[in-house]
Amino acid sequence: QVQLVESGGGLVQAGGSLRLSCAASGSIFRIDVMGWYRQAPGKQRELVAVVPSDRRTIYADSVKGRFTISRDNAKNTVYLQMNSLKPEDTAVYYCYAKGAVLIGHGYFEVWGQGTLVTVSS
């Protein structure tokens, strides 16, 4: 089994910054994609940023130029540096990962428990 543990959410004023972290653990052979999604109240979950194994990062248009995703393969960890935060960035942020497991040549696709980011105006 593979688990994701997130940290770094909280309350920040508009214009401020936060850094989210997500560490994967378990029977991991490789991680093909790690990234972040978010879900605001009353809205569907949406992609924020993902980084595949080839490092070609993908960002939502709404966060380009403000958020930076990075990945530490040695630690199976992904980070999301969020700058110039806006009230509309308020949401529960979910870490996501998919890849292959060590045993049985199977694959995994998992979500973290979510971390709340609240941006006050």
Side-chain angles (χ1 to χ4, degrees):
Q1 290 184 347
V2 177
Q3 300 84 34
L4 301 177
V5 177
E6 302 144 336
S7 61
L11 173 64
V12 65
Q13 288 188 335
S17 299
L18 282 175
R19 188 187 193 217
L20 305 183
S21 300
C22 172
S25 63
S27 183
I28 299 170
F29 176 64
R30 72 170 189 270
I31 299 178
D32 296 323
V33 179
M34 288 193 87
W36 295 92
Y37 288 71
R38 68 186 180 187
Q39 187 166 17
K43 294 187 177 181
Q44 291 187 332
R45 190 173 298 188
E46 63 177 5
L47 179 145
V48 176
V50 292
V51 51
S53 53
D54 63 3
R55 305 296 183 126
R56 296 184 181 182
T57 55
I58 299 171
Y59 292 94
D61 288 342
S62 60
V63 307
K64 284 181 181 177
R66 301 187 298 121
F67 291 10
T68 303
I69 190 171
S70 60
R71 180 172 160 178
D72 185 335
N73 289 334
K75 296 181 179 180
N76 287 333
T77 299
V78 65
Y79 306 95
L80 185 68
Q81 178 65 43
M82 305 184 292
N83 298 328
S84 302
L85 282 161
K86 305 175 181 180
E88 51 263 44
D89 294 317
T90 295
V92 177
Y93 285 69
Y94 295 92
C95 182
Y96 167 83
K98 70 175 182 178
V101 296
L102 279 171
I103 300 174
H105 305 287
Y107 297 90
F108 68 87
E109 185 173 19
V110 294
W111 294 88
Q113 79 282 2
T115 185
L116 178 62
V117 171
T118 303
V119 184
S120 63
S121 57

